[in-house]
Amino acid sequence: MMAAWSGLAQILAQDPENFGIPLLAPRGGKVNLNALPGHITLEDLEPEDRPVIDPQQQMAYIPRPEIPNGEIHQKLMALGAWSFFHDAHTQKLPDPKISPAAIIVSTIQLEPFLARGNVLLKNNLEKFTKGLEHLQSLLEYQPIYLIVPDLKSDLVDQIGQAIRGRACIKAILVKYQYPLDHFAILARELNLKYDPENPVWGIRTEGVLAAETALTQGKPATTRIISLGGPAVSNPTHYEVCAGYPISQFLEGKLNCENVRLLNGGSLTGEILDEATKGIPLGYTGITVLEEPTKREMLSFTRPGADRQSYSNCFLSALRKAFPERITTSLRGEKRPCIACGYCEEICPVGIMPHLIHKLMYRDELERAEQARADRCIGCGLCSFVCPSKIDLRKEILEAQDTIQRELHSEVEEADE
């Protein structure tokens, strides 16, 4: 169900499976439940009442209020900011009733075509700092690990100055290389082990800003900055949008070709946007638009590939220096069986063997797939990207995780009961 508008900060719907997270209305208007099946749509919108104020000036005179610890979670939930929090190991929404062992705050986003942290921080560093102070109040002695890129830049220096003197905030420099921004990898590198009773929370730049908006200004987190990028976009840029904004209107006049594929997310892990999705969901970080070729390239596998980038060195392009290549949705040939090249194992950042898990799941050997540590997959998509047989290993392993949990562990839990 997509978001729409009825009245500022009024709850339109709730997600009972995720601790009752509310779907908030960012603007006033009339709700129509029948215009589109499965959607909440809006009519007769009220004009935006947001004042045009420079962010730095706006923050200068808004003090950080003292909020009792027990009320912070309630306010984050009621104003929609809780949807920005993650369990670092499982990527699920954390239970607000369980205190974390630590919080990882990441200012970097390395997925191609998504909004980078520096874009969000450019004019909001003071607001970000106040958001970190609010996160501190959620903890007793647990640390906040602030992830910043290991780069020389004025913004990195400003972040360091902003957190100076705050003992519980520890700045961690991370190499600017995908997927080292993933919370599960960061938790592992920080030696923060998975414990359901003492979870590790992860939150990105936009989440800290949303928490500050909710706790300092008492306003709902109904908008977010998302990217619109990809080869099929005329002018890739960033936009601040409300949840539920019509996707067709959002894309109008911004594409440079007719046949396109829309992805919710970046080009490596983005999911294909279902045609039934009419409005921008709250959880979006960006929309990637790829060109969808209408003609199939015959006998593609017989070509030596002098004009194609490849992880493999068997293409003639390996003899060339790096060169730009247009990204499309074309597989350049049909999908083929696994050839056991080992590229997926070589590129995997968590050290599993995707090709082995692929074969074990094909034979329905769930126990052995679990022993091969399918659970460690973070869904970065690198294995699918380098696979010369075009096998969607990422999708298969994520589905394997669900299958193993459902068919193996659910049976154990039922037996214990």
Side-chain angles (χ1 to χ4, degrees):
M1 185 174 285
M2 300 299 104
W5 302 285
S6 71
L8 185 61
Q10 291 184 0
I11 296 177
L12 295 177
Q14 286 187 321
D15 182 1
E17 295 183 359
N18 288 298
F19 311 106
I21 286 290
L23 186 65
L24 300 171
R27 289 170 64 186
K30 185 186 297 181
V31 168
N32 188 334
L33 300 178
N34 302 316
L36 287 171
H39 293 71
I40 301 175
T41 58
L42 59 139
E43 301 169 353
D44 303 329
L45 289 182
E46 294 180 0
E48 284 192 88
D49 59 356
R50 186 185 311 171
V52 181
I53 302 176
D54 180 78
Q56 296 291 356
Q57 295 180 358
Q58 183 181 6
M59 293 306 303
Y61 62 84
I62 300 179
R64 184 174 75 87
E66 294 297 327
I67 305 174
N69 193 294
E71 296 181 12
I72 292 180
H73 294 84
Q74 297 177 13
K75 206 163 187 179
L76 290 173
M77 290 279 292
L79 294 175
W82 194 254
S83 61
F84 292 87
F85 286 77
H86 307 271
D87 184 302
H89 291 96
T90 66
Q91 307 310 305
K92 296 180 180 179
L93 203 68
D95 187 342
K97 297 179 182 178
I98 301 179
S99 298
I103 298 179
I104 300 175
V105 177
S106 178
T107 64
I108 57 178
Q109 171 66 268
L110 301 178
E111 171 87 8
F113 301 121
L114 296 186
R116 303 289 186 262
N118 59 334
V119 174
L120 305 174
L121 283 174
K122 188 175 181 180
N123 295 317
N124 291 299
L125 187 56
E126 184 176 353
K127 183 176 180 180
F128 179 77
T129 305
K130 289 188 177 183
L132 291 177
E133 293 177 1
H134 281 301
L135 293 183
Q136 277 187 258
S137 62
L138 289 170
L139 308 171
E140 293 183 6
Y141 304 105
Q142 301 92 329
I144 294 176
Y145 295 100
L146 180 61
I147 308 301
V148 294
D150 190 5
L151 300 172
K152 291 184 178 180
S153 72
D154 292 339
L155 184 59
V156 172
D157 293 339
Q158 292 172 14
I159 293 174
Q161 294 174 7
I163 65 171
R164 188 170 297 165
R166 294 176 169 84
C168 76
I169 302 179
K170 302 179 180 180
I172 307 294
L173 296 176
V174 173
K175 189 176 180 180
Y176 211 61
Q177 176 180 323
Y178 180 81
L180 298 183
D181 59 329
H182 196 283
F183 287 126
I185 292 180
L186 293 171
R188 192 173 296 121
E189 292 297 319
L190 293 169
N191 199 29
L192 300 171
K193 298 181 179 179
Y194 175 58
D195 182 357
E197 300 301 322
N198 294 281
V200 177
W201 290 354
I203 185 171
R204 299 194 182 277
T205 304
E206 63 267 27
V208 178
L209 297 177
E212 192 284 329
T213 299
L215 297 176
T216 298
Q217 304 178 56
K219 295 182 178 180
T222 52
T223 65
R224 67 185 303 161
I225 295 176
I226 70 170
S227 62
L228 177 63
V233 178
S234 303
N235 184 26
T237 187
H238 302 91
Y239 298 89
E240 184 176 7
V241 296
C242 296
Y245 190 86
I247 293 177
S248 58
Q249 293 183 28
F250 180 68
L251 297 176
E252 188 174 351
K254 299 182 177 71
L255 307 183
N256 55 32
C257 56
E258 294 183 1
N259 299 301
V260 296
R261 180 182 298 180
L262 305 180
L263 301 179
N264 169 19
S267 59
L268 287 171
T269 63
E271 300 290 340
I272 297 176
L273 239 172
D274 193 326
E275 292 184 359
T277 303
K278 303 298 182 181
I280 295 178
L282 183 63
Y284 268 35
T285 54
I287 295 179
T288 301
V289 189
L290 303 179
E291 182 181 353
E292 189 88 89
T294 56
K295 296 181 180 179
R296 179 180 172 187
E297 192 175 319
M298 297 299 293
L299 301 177
S300 173
F301 63 91
T302 65
R303 297 183 56 194
D307 60 342
R308 303 175 189 170
Q309 299 277 7
S310 175
Y311 184 78
S312 167
N313 59 8
C314 64
F315 277 49
L316 281 180
S317 60
L319 302 176
R320 301 176 57 184
K321 295 181 179 179
F323 57 91
E325 184 183 8
R326 191 171 183 82
I327 300 175
T328 70
T329 62
S330 175
L331 291 176
R332 291 182 171 142
E334 296 179 354
K335 297 179 182 179
R336 299 183 290 279
C338 174
I339 60 174
C341 63
Y343 291 148
C344 58
E345 179 183 353
E346 184 177 317
I347 200 72
C348 180
V350 295
I352 62 176
M353 302 169 68
H355 61 91
L356 174 61
I357 298 172
H358 160 73
K359 293 169 183 174
L360 292 173
M361 292 304 296
Y362 183 77
R363 298 197 295 262
D364 291 328
E365 298 185 24
L366 300 185
E367 291 85 356
R368 293 189 61 190
E370 184 179 30
Q371 292 170 2
R373 297 309 304 271
D375 62 298
R376 293 187 65 178
C377 176
I378 61 172
C380 68
L382 288 175
C383 53
S384 299
F385 187 77
V386 303
C387 178
S389 294
K390 311 303 181 188
I391 301 171
D392 195 348
L393 293 165
R394 172 183 178 269
K395 181 180 179 181
E396 288 189 5
I397 298 176
L398 292 179
E399 289 177 350
Q401 291 178 346
D402 293 337
T403 303
I404 290 170
Q405 181 65 33
R406 182 175 63 254
E407 298 190 14
L408 292 184
H409 297 292
S410 61
E411 293 177 1
V412 173
E413 292 173 1
E414 290 176 2
D416 291 341
E417 292 177 359

